[in-house]
Amino acid sequence: MLRNIWTPLADGQPTQHKEPGQLIYLQDTLAECFYYIVSGTVKCFISSPEGDERILTLPHAGELIGEASFFDRQPRVSSAVAVTKCELVTVDRPRLEQVFAAHPSLAIAMLENLAGRVRILSAHVDSEFLPADKRIARHLLAQIPGPDGSLRCTHEEIGATVGVSRVTVSRVLGDFDRRGWVSTGYKSLRILDRLALERYLGEIQA
Amino acid sequence: MLRNIWTPLADGQPTQHKEPGQLIYLQDTLAECFYYIVSGTVKCFISSPEGDERILTLPHAGELIGEASFFDRQPRVSSAVAVTKCELVTVDRPRLEQVFAAHPSLAIAMLENLAGRVRILSAHVDSEFLPADKRIARHLLAQIPGPDGSLRCTHEEIGATVGVSRVTVSRVLGDFDRRGWVSTGYKSLRILDRLALERYLGEIQA
DNA sequence: TCTTCTGGGTCATGGTCATTCCCATGGTTG
DNA sequence: CAACCATGGGAATGACCATGACCCAGAAGA
């Protein structure tokens, strides 16, 4: 069992299980609680009425989801669904007060946590200045590669994260591949020349 | 002197003055402190290397600025400049610990405050789904009109906030004006038909 | 093994909006 | 009042990228 700052929230609490694709919470609904991910990975995303979605984060075990709207006491700004099988602990207001009382330092950790969300969202806004290829380059550089140095991701997923179409992701990655900066494979991708990508990202627009 | 939740942060502290256009903090620099606005209004914005800027908020007296990056202990994600003459109180880490110790409820208020930032930024991301005209409509509806029912804003400012060019703002507002939904004047704008704007915003894309 | 599904490459087409002009007008300052 | 600057309106041009369509490849299940 993973232990971290948030474990006091989860200790001794019942967990609920979610199957892949199952909804955890829905955008625009009231936020009565937030969640601690005991295991599995989750997709948090904003969706449009037309069905397009924009992935904000893909949090894993040990992370919290849904705290921002919870503290804001406003409808959720994003939806969350399970990507893999998940175990979750839900935290509601009475429970949170209990834990804050017993572990005052948690409030500070929560401040830092929310500040991190602000940073992530700011990066999304910031990247609106960039054209599609640089958005993708930035995204690749921000990902932490697996132990073998490769990333597990589909073009669709990248597109939904940086806000461009699947087609464009294919085109740009094909281009990066031809230049020798990355090597692409089925549902995977390896960065070969980090520096070249960084240099490319740094070039100011003509 | 305005009094609110944050006044304990400012009480008895020296203020610093800023002239219109003067920089308060700069994107990508370290965040050693944050600020309480005693008077005046400030512009918080993200800027690109090419000089384009995207306005995030235009906070007034009684609000905080720069807390998110401060808690995150990372470089600032946005810059802030004074729009009008401003008085500011700066709060650094030792000072904050003092105040938190004396006013524990402030930490909770700060959580809600940061959660509000997440909401604002989420709205920015969310609006990327919308075409220019609806972005503008949404922005207009979100503004709180002055006592006479009019908004004080330039097309340039609206463009920088919603992320479209000045020209497009002019075109769209001209269109809204011809339809009788708003009336435009020099540096000002009045919403005549809120419902029509809301209806228009609600239409799903073809 | 055959089928089916999802992921991935590529093209032609078109829409949306930024850009770049140029000019009109309101406000401000001398 | 005159000169100046910031703001706003309009049109032509073109860049960028989404869309839809089609085909191929890899993976998974029957």
Side-chain angles (χ1 to χ4, degrees):
Chain A
M1 172 68 97
L2 180 62
R3 304 208 57 83
N4 64 17
I5 339 172
W6 310 122
T7 41
L9 287 168
D11 277 345
Q13 295 298 111
T15 65
Q16 68 178 263
H17 295 259
K18 296 282 179 184
E19 293 301 311
Q22 208 182 340
L23 185 71
I24 299 168
Y25 56 79
L26 180 64
Q27 190 171 336
D28 300 323
T29 61
L30 275 180
E32 316 264 335
C33 65
F34 63 94
Y35 301 82
Y36 173 77
I37 306 175
V38 177
S39 71
T41 115
V42 172
K43 177 173 76 172
C44 295
F45 62 99
I46 292 181
S47 53
S48 78
E50 288 81 38
D52 305 324
E53 62 183 48
R54 187 78 185 264
I55 299 175
L56 296 180
T57 55
L58 290 166
H60 301 290
E63 298 185 57
L64 302 180
I65 56 172
E67 351 75 79
S69 298
F70 174 85
F71 285 112
D72 205 27
R73 297 163 184 276
Q74 298 275 329
R76 317 214 86 119
V77 293
S78 64
S79 301
V81 301
V83 173
T84 66
K85 264 171 109 65
C86 287
E87 281 177 290
L88 305 172
V89 171
T90 87
V91 182
D92 58 14
R93 276 174 222 289
R95 169 75 185 150
L96 183 67
E97 279 167 28
Q98 247 178 48
V99 181
F100 270 2
H103 304 266
S105 71
L106 257 192
I108 302 297
M110 193 66 86
L111 280 172
E112 293 176 7
N113 179 57
L114 280 182
R117 309 266 155 185
V118 170
R119 170 166 309 275
I120 290 170
L121 285 166
S122 299
H124 275 281
V125 174
D126 191 59
S127 70
E128 286 185 53
F129 290 124
L130 301 176
D133 47 2
K134 301 207 175 174
R135 285 196 199 191
I136 293 168
R138 170 192 276 203
H139 176 69
L140 295 183
L141 290 169
Q143 297 306 103
I144 35 166
D148 58 341
S150 75
L151 305 171
R152 297 295 258 319
C153 55
T154 70
H155 293 188
E156 187 94 46
E157 198 177 279
I158 296 177
T161 306
V162 306
V164 304
S165 69
R166 201 266 310 162
V167 191
T168 301
V169 176
S170 291
R171 189 179 51 71
V172 170
L173 285 183
D175 195 33
F176 286 176
D177 194 335
R178 275 184 287 280
R179 299 193 198 198
W181 297 350
V182 304
S183 84
T184 60
Y186 186 78
K187 278 192 174 192
S188 75
L189 187 148
R190 184 191 301 268
I191 298 182
L192 301 176
D193 192 344
R194 250 194 131 70
L195 260 72
L197 277 176
E198 280 163 7
R199 211 177 319 119
Y200 181 68
L201 188 56
E203 284 172 15
I204 62 164
Q205 265 76 274
Chain B
M1 172 68 96
L2 179 61
R3 303 207 60 83
N4 65 17
I5 338 173
W6 310 122
T7 41
L9 288 168
D11 277 345
Q13 296 299 110
T15 66
Q16 68 178 263
H17 295 259
K18 296 283 179 182
E19 292 301 312
Q22 207 181 339
L23 185 71
I24 299 169
Y25 56 79
L26 181 64
Q27 191 172 334
D28 300 323
T29 61
L30 275 181
E32 317 264 336
C33 65
F34 62 95
Y35 301 83
Y36 173 77
I37 306 174
V38 177
S39 71
T41 115
V42 171
K43 176 173 75 172
C44 294
F45 62 98
I46 292 180
S47 54
S48 79
E50 288 81 37
D52 305 324
E53 62 183 47
R54 186 78 185 266
I55 300 174
L56 296 179
T57 54
L58 291 165
H60 302 289
E63 297 185 58
L64 303 180
I65 56 172
E67 350 75 79
S69 297
F70 173 84
F71 285 112
D72 205 26
R73 297 164 184 276
Q74 299 274 329
R76 319 213 84 120
V77 293
S78 63
S79 301
V81 302
V83 174
T84 65
K85 264 172 110 65
C86 287
E87 280 177 291
L88 305 173
V89 171
T90 88
V91 183
D92 58 14
R93 275 174 222 288
R95 168 75 185 150
L96 183 67
E97 278 167 28
Q98 247 179 48
V99 181
F100 269 2
H103 305 266
S105 71
L106 257 192
I108 303 297
M110 193 66 86
L111 280 173
E112 293 177 6
N113 179 57
L114 279 182
R117 309 267 153 182
V118 170
R119 171 167 308 277
I120 290 169
L121 285 166
S122 299
H124 276 281
V125 174
D126 190 59
S127 71
E128 285 185 52
F129 289 124
L130 301 176
D133 47 2
K134 301 206 175 175
R135 285 197 200 191
I136 293 168
R138 170 192 275 202
H139 175 71
L140 295 183
L141 290 169
Q143 296 306 101
I144 35 167
D148 58 342
S150 75
L151 305 171
R152 295 297 259 314
C153 55
T154 70
H155 293 188
E156 188 95 44
E157 197 176 280
I158 296 177
T161 306
V162 305
V164 303
S165 70
R166 202 267 310 159
V167 197
T168 302
V169 177
S170 292
R171 189 180 51 71
V172 171
L173 286 183
D175 196 33
F176 286 176
D177 193 335
R178 275 184 287 279
R179 298 192 198 199
W181 296 351
V182 305
S183 84
T184 60
Y186 186 79
K187 278 192 175 192
S188 75
L189 186 149
R190 184 191 301 268
I191 298 182
L192 300 177
D193 193 345
R194 251 193 131 70
L195 260 71
L197 277 176
E198 280 163 8
R199 210 176 320 120
Y200 181 68
L201 188 54
E203 283 172 17
I204 61 165
Q205 265 76 273

